[in-house]
Amino acid sequence: MNSNIKRAVSLAKLKSKISSTLLIHGGRVIDPENGINDIADVLIVDGKIAAVGNVVNFETHDEIDATGKIVTPGLIDMHVHFREPGQEAKEDFESGSMAAAAGGFTTVATMPNTSPVVDTAALVRAMKKRAEDIDIINIEIIGALTKGQKGLELAEVGDMIEAGAVAFSDDGHFDSNARVFLNALDYLHSFNKVIICHEEESTLCEGGVMNEGPRSALLGLKGRPTVAEDIAVARDILLAEYSGGRVHIAHISSANSVEYVRQAKKRGVKVTAEVTPQHLTMTDDLVDPSDASTKINPPLRGQKDVVACLEGLIDGTIDMIVTDHSPHAPEEKDREYIFAPSGFPGLETSLGVLLTDLYHTGKVDLVTLISKMTTKPAKIFGLNGGSLTIGKNADVTIIDPNLEWTVDDKEFYTRGSHSPFIGRKLKGRAIGTIVKGYLIETNQTRVSLVHCD
């Protein structure tokens, strides 16, 4: 455990020194839920949002000067892989939580494709207890939809809901058995819970390592075609429409799939979708067989797919942005492209990439970006967060939109070091992450607490 994680795990000592009243002064507050986009103060009392506006006449407090900065609800990422239980060499709740805090995230949801798979109430409870013991950020637990994620029979989803599972997914696997999937939709409908769908028809992707197209042909690498995603998305939309259940399309990447979701929403189907920064900003032209950092699942697509995802984000077809934070041990990624596992860590680079490539280029406005990373995921998954509403937990992110920095894996908290963004110069970064009223100190923290009497 590195020294920064030790410092985070010892937060109880830091908390005892912090006043119960914290004022974040003079920042541009963006709270899409409450329609706020203005210079304002945010007052936090006993870990809750107490006031937003021109705050005066308050008692002894700690203060953060946010002049020239952006103050938002704490960022939320509903798709991360923290690798517990059983794969801690890749990541664990401590390193993952610190990576999240460094990236400005106050709440994340972990996927269940671990070892063993999180497919029982006992494991959900164990993971929630583990998160409480770490006590750095808020960690939600996603349970497996089927036993062992094998797609053959439902896991004990009812018991997992009672234990605190926030949603269900066989992420990493497409549930090819339509009858089992329909049974899941019918059963979870009464609980108003969401199924997060990994959409790739597996028989069309077997052996594929990148997007199927001119680039894969040039490189001589077997491809994963967009039609594999399209078929899966279309099927799950139809089953959701038939059953009245809720489906959420994970890491959407195909232009046709975006259009299927758009049309389904117009018909009233209960479908939502997420997209990653990499599928909004990168294409398969960047695939280099000598560098496995670009190997992800679904793969980087063509330019028309990137444009379609961006359009879907802007017009509301795509509801949220997630990182699909997928760290691997260095020795796993330091292999030939065809043998390396898919995925790379994204929590510490996500915001910077989005601000640099989308906001500063004028492609997406700041309010839209913040909404897709706060309000929207909170609403869809029923979280107690995503806004600065009075009385809610004081989860807050402070952003310097103009801070220029270079991505350096030596500064990462995550255990995964293979990222296609290493060495990139970015503009914009989270400089302060506050969870339940307490500032989480990381090596990216650029704000200071000042005690005022």
Side-chain angles (χ1 to χ4, degrees):
M1 186 188 304
N2 68 39
S3 60
N4 290 311
I5 293 175
K6 287 180 180 178
R7 178 173 58 187
V9 176
S10 301
L11 273 178
K13 296 179 181 178
L14 175 63
K15 289 177 181 179
S16 66
K17 300 176 183 177
I18 296 176
S19 168
S20 62
T21 303
L22 172 63
L23 179 69
I24 305 170
H25 173 70
R28 176 186 171 190
V29 177
I30 298 179
D31 178 7
E33 170 71 12
N34 292 301
I36 301 173
N37 181 11
D38 204 353
I39 304 299
D41 303 330
V42 177
L43 180 64
I44 298 168
V45 178
D46 294 331
K48 304 288 185 181
I49 301 295
V52 178
N54 183 19
V55 179
V56 295
N57 299 326
F58 47 89
E59 298 177 356
T60 300
H61 64 284
D62 289 326
E63 183 173 313
I64 293 174
D65 183 1
T67 303
K69 309 303 186 291
I70 308 295
V71 180
T72 76
L75 303 185
I76 298 171
D77 187 349
M78 292 303 297
H79 193 139
V80 305
H81 298 268
F82 277 4
R83 307 302 191 188
E84 289 198 40
Q87 300 171 354
E88 288 83 359
K90 299 173 184 277
E91 191 79 292
D92 60 26
F93 275 25
E94 292 175 87
S95 59
S97 292
M98 285 302 295
F105 293 91
T106 61
T107 298
V108 302
T110 62
M111 285 296 177
N113 51 332
T114 49
S115 182
V117 169
V118 180
D119 60 359
T120 66
L123 278 170
V124 171
R125 291 190 185 96
M127 293 300 95
K128 288 188 71 66
K129 180 62 165 59
R130 170 75 169 144
E132 291 170 1
D133 289 344
I134 297 299
D135 193 26
I136 299 173
I137 61 167
N138 308 302
I139 301 178
E140 300 288 350
I141 309 300
I142 297 170
L145 186 66
T146 64
K147 292 182 179 180
Q149 291 192 313
K150 296 180 179 179
L152 301 177
E153 58 180 318
L154 288 185
E156 49 184 64
V157 292
D159 290 341
M160 283 192 280
I161 291 171
E162 186 178 345
V166 71
F168 296 91
S169 179
D170 280 345
D171 187 53
H173 309 272
F174 172 60
D175 289 306
S176 59
N177 190 312
R179 170 51 61 186
V180 171
F181 191 79
L182 181 59
N183 288 342
L185 285 167
D186 286 335
Y187 186 75
L188 290 171
H189 180 65
S190 60
F191 295 98
N192 195 30
K193 289 295 181 181
V194 184
I195 299 176
I196 303 172
C197 308
H198 181 111
E199 305 288 32
E200 279 189 303
E201 213 296 324
S202 55
T203 61
L204 294 174
C205 294
E206 188 173 355
V209 298
M210 67 171 293
N211 182 51
E212 184 176 275
R215 181 67 174 169
S216 66
L218 177 66
L219 296 175
L221 295 175
K222 186 173 176 58
R224 305 173 78 92
T226 55
V227 70
E229 179 174 314
D230 301 338
I231 289 172
V233 169
R235 189 208 72 170
D236 288 349
I237 286 174
L238 289 172
L239 291 175
E241 188 169 23
Y242 178 75
S243 66
R246 298 176 64 192
V247 294
H248 178 78
I249 310 303
H251 38 51
I252 199 167
S253 67
S254 157
N256 283 338
S257 293
V258 172
E259 184 60 24
Y260 295 164
V261 172
R262 181 179 288 115
Q263 295 304 319
K265 285 189 169 187
K266 290 179 180 178
R267 300 197 308 272
V269 181
K270 296 176 182 176
V271 57
T272 52
E274 65 185 36
V275 67
T276 70
Q278 48 269 29
H279 290 114
L280 289 168
T281 64
M282 302 172 69
T283 71
D284 57 358
D285 284 340
L286 297 173
V287 171
D288 178 352
S290 67
D291 179 8
S293 68
T294 59
K295 186 179 179 184
I296 59 175
N297 187 14
L300 297 176
R301 301 293 193 187
Q303 183 63 31
K304 73 170 186 177
D305 300 299
V306 171
V307 170
C309 286
L310 186 57
E311 291 174 347
L313 186 78
I314 293 168
D315 71 19
T317 300
I318 298 174
D319 301 270
M320 68 184 74
I321 300 172
V322 301
T323 65
D324 193 13
H325 174 81
S326 302
H328 295 282
E331 62 271 17
E332 294 179 298
K333 291 293 273 189
D334 282 331
R335 303 174 68 189
E336 291 182 57
Y337 204 92
I338 60 174
F339 298 119
S342 296
F344 63 81
L347 284 165
E348 290 164 271
T349 56
S350 173
L351 182 61
V353 169
L354 293 168
L355 290 171
T356 302
D357 291 348
L358 299 186
Y359 169 61
H360 285 298
T361 58
K363 294 178 181 178
V364 183
D365 66 86
L366 199 54
V367 174
T368 297
L369 281 180
I370 298 304
S371 174
K372 304 291 185 179
M373 302 175 79
T374 58
T375 301
K376 292 293 186 179
K379 279 188 172 182
I380 289 169
F381 290 96
L383 307 181
N384 179 23
S387 80
L388 300 177
T389 301
I390 294 174
K392 280 199 172 185
N393 287 341
D395 295 341
V396 182
T397 302
I398 303 173
I399 300 167
D400 185 339
N402 297 310
L403 178 64
E404 295 183 347
W405 59 289
T406 300
V407 179
D408 183 354
D409 61 307
K410 295 181 178 61
E411 295 184 356
F412 281 176
Y413 285 96
T414 177
R415 296 186 176 180
S417 58
H418 288 75
S419 165
F421 302 118
I422 299 297
R424 268 207 66 185
K425 293 183 178 180
L426 301 178
K427 186 176 182 180
R429 193 172 203 173
I431 58 169
T433 303
I434 296 168
V435 180
K436 297 176 184 175
Y438 297 108
L439 180 67
I440 310 300
E441 292 192 35
T442 73
N443 54 20
Q444 309 311 328
T445 302
R446 298 289 187 275
V447 296
S448 301
L449 288 169
V450 177
H451 189 70
C452 302
D453 292 321

